[in-house]
Amino acid sequence: MFDVLIIGAGVSGSAIAREVSRYKLTACVLEKCEDVCEGTSKANSAIVHAGFDAEEGSLMAKLNVEGNEMMDRLTKDLDIPFKRNGSMVVCVHKEELDGLKVLYDRGVKNGVKGLKILTKEEAHEMEPNLSDNVEGALFAPTGGIICPFELTIAMAENANVNGVEFRFNTEVEDIKKGEDGLFHVRTNNGEYVSRLIVNAAGVHADEIHNMVSSDKMHIIERRGDYCLLDKQVGDFVSHTIFPQPTKYGKGVLVTPTVHGNLLVGPTAIDIENKEGNNTTQAGLDEVILKAGENVKNLPMRNVITSFAGLRAHLERHEFIIEEVKDAPMFIDVAGIESPGLSASPAIGKMVGDMIKDMLSLEEKENWQGTRKGITRTEGLSVEEMNELIKKNPAYGTIVCRCESITEGEILDAIHRPLGARSLDGVKRRTRAGMGRCQAGFCSPRTMEIINRELGLPYEKITKSGGKSYIVLERTKGEASL
Amino acid sequence: MKTVDIVIVGGGPAGLAAAVAAKKAGNDSILILERDHELGGILNQCIHNGFGLHTFKEELTGPEYAYRFIKQVYDLGIEYKLNTMVMDISKDKIVTAMNREDGMFQISAKAVILAMGCRERPRGALNIPGYRPAGIFSAGTAQRLVNIEGYMPGREVVILGSGDIGLIMARRMTLEGAKVKVVAELMPYSGGLKRNIVQCLDDYGIPLKLSHTVVDIEGKDHVTAVTIAEVGPDRKPIKGTEERYTCDTLLLSCGLIPENELSRSAGVTMSPVTSGPVVNESLETNIPGVFACGNVLHVHDLVDYVSEEAGRAGQNAVKYINDGCKDESSAETIEITATEGARYTVPSSINPERMDDLLTVRFRVGDIYKNSFVSVYFDDERIMHNQKRIMAPGEMEQIILRKSQIQEHGGLKKITVKIENE
């Protein structure tokens, strides 16, 4: 029996897990995939929005601005990279310049600091690669870039160190309120019982909600296609460049990533398929076309990969974070689409506070709010490297040549709390395989390490859990030995 | 800081041949830095035969071919370090490298030979739409899994791209019991050698569909099907031509990219056509004393040519050192321009003073040419006009220039290589 069950180990579920880990309670996160950060949280713009987009007075606006403000402290505590590179909304039609003022006013009302409307000249001076058609821009210095994998993983890890359990490959099939007043959650991995449930199931939040409530919810999967470009062109722009928003969202942006790549996207295509994160030719074409409206000579020949993510969109376009009316002790955290990543620390705090009151929880004396991330070798001096290699020779072996990731970093990723068990798990924790050759070189080497460290036979090593096996079987010659 | 005359980055076919040639040219201070746990590079996973016909006049497998050079490295006592990754090469030829035993270390070199080879273009760079499941490999990665690790990626295979590794893997997977359903090639011609199309596809009844590409990949966890479609002259898929193949594996053999991150950060000037360094007759880059050879310079079709070219790089490095490490970058040179069907030449400039009596200039054509002529112009005068029955982008071409010929043309400014119909 747990006091709290959190369904979903995305950025919201992980943020909430970390917040509740402050209190004296038992908590467990149920995740249907093999790792944290497997749904919406892993495929998005990796942006910490300033907070001028969402309607004033909305929960989205409030949590976006709060989350943004919490990011400096949180990323420092969790030892993950975060950069306030500033964002720009650019206007390419003179007659739409007024739109920038509307955003500016909304931002001021939402509490966004430092907003400034730039003239055409100022905008071009700040970003030489803007399209010649750019007539003006809204500049938000508090906009930032972050690695969504590292943020989610770090919060989950920290929650785990503070006593929150995680159950992976565990999919919720049904929820019943028992006569004992407790929730009985049926999963493919047995039954879980709890006093309180948090539904942080992303695009599946409607399915989970509808298990307990007669007031049905419907989430629309809104797909976004992206292209990621080589670090060689990572400084093509230094700010995050947005077009003016439309009813489908913030539009196709061009941004550096916190690790120095260039990211372009997303589209916004409503589909009715919770698993439909495939890219399409039309989608990728649209990304290239739309991005080209705001910047010039986008170096698309430097694309190293493309991907798509699904936003958990609700018709009313608002975060739903509340105790469900006809299901006491069941909290929905639903409709967490953009700016969900930006808001995640504030979402965690808000839900943590709700649970504290609902369960009358007391704070732990020994809560450990900081975490040491994986020791990165990037940028270390010769002396620092040698000190590291002396302590652990594995830091002297490069496994991923594109990102210069050492075996030491991969071992750390595998053996730390909630460690990696698949190639993608290693990739999201270390960046091994995330570079320009897209794991062509390092995947056999990473498999060798996983095989050795986890005792997992080659045939059982997956790309990302489930049935995503890398190899099928021994070759004929070996099998007959 | 340790000093070495010649540091060779990469212990594959290029690095080995460069080292052997440099040693034979009389230099005793050579160090090969190799990132893998053995010498030989990619040849170790190329267990098929067909290597060495030019160099050794016999057909060898990749490992056999590599061993001919590795043995010489052993016998000549050339120093090498395995499991060692070069992290940086500076303009003044300080090489920073790293391994478990030595940690991170720096070596000051008089000459550096770049021999890092190339990598495969990944799925992402091809912008193929669809899901991103397991079961998608570059052909070389699959080759390593099958030939080195001893594991089969799958049983039903579609291959995109007809580069040589893809063709070789079509045969290899077939011999291992897999069904290779089709090889799709975006271009109207193959990117590989004719002999590989015959020996690896035709002999096994594997269809090659030219002017086709992959338009969708299905499968959430693992590949379940791939759809290919015909492309028009604009290389865009033609609606209505889609064919769906159920399969569990998609191999990609869609081009090789010279691996020049180190060269670039050292300040070496790159050719946008080859993605390799721009070099002169000595295979020397714009940085005096930094030479390049093999697939890091331009992607070769046969390893024999890699060995020959790398040998010259090794000899030239020794010559450079013996001549007192002079900066010749401002010397008068004659540009070689590739045009009208010839895509590039290596080298792309000649210092007639430094050139050998015979200089091999290699290039590739950009299309299929039948019964056309390879022409060489000295300024406006055509001095070479050789008919070739067939030329294809997948095969390297060469011309040989004589020093005497160039000297006879006093004041020669420009050499042009082009393909002419008559």
Side-chain angles (χ1 to χ4, degrees), chain A residues 13 25 144 156 166 175 210 252 340 357 384 386 438 459:
Chain A
L25 87 172
F166 282 74
I175 304 172
N210 295 342
V252 172
D357 292 343
E384 289 166 324
N386 280 329
Q438 289 286 298
E459 298 92 322

Side-chain angles (χ1 to χ4, degrees), chain A residues 44-65:
Chain A
N44 53 68
S45 304
I47 296 297
V48 175
H49 293 282
F52 51 76
D53 280 284
E55 221 168 294
E56 55 250 44
S58 66
L59 191 56
M60 254 184 192
K62 176 174 177 286
L63 295 179
N64 184 166
V65 174

Side-chain angles (χ1 to χ4, degrees), chain A residues 318-332:
Chain A
E318 170 67 312
F319 293 160
I320 305 297
I321 301 176
E322 61 193 18
E323 188 175 8
V324 175
K325 286 192 184 66
D326 59 349
M329 301 297 263
F330 185 101
I331 300 172
D332 272 332

Side-chain angles (χ1 to χ4, degrees), chain B residues 64-78:
Chain B
E64 285 171 339
Y65 185 96
Y67 189 67
R68 297 275 169 115
F69 286 91
I70 294 171
K71 182 149 189 324
Q72 293 186 67
V73 166
Y74 295 160
D75 293 348
L76 293 167
I78 298 171

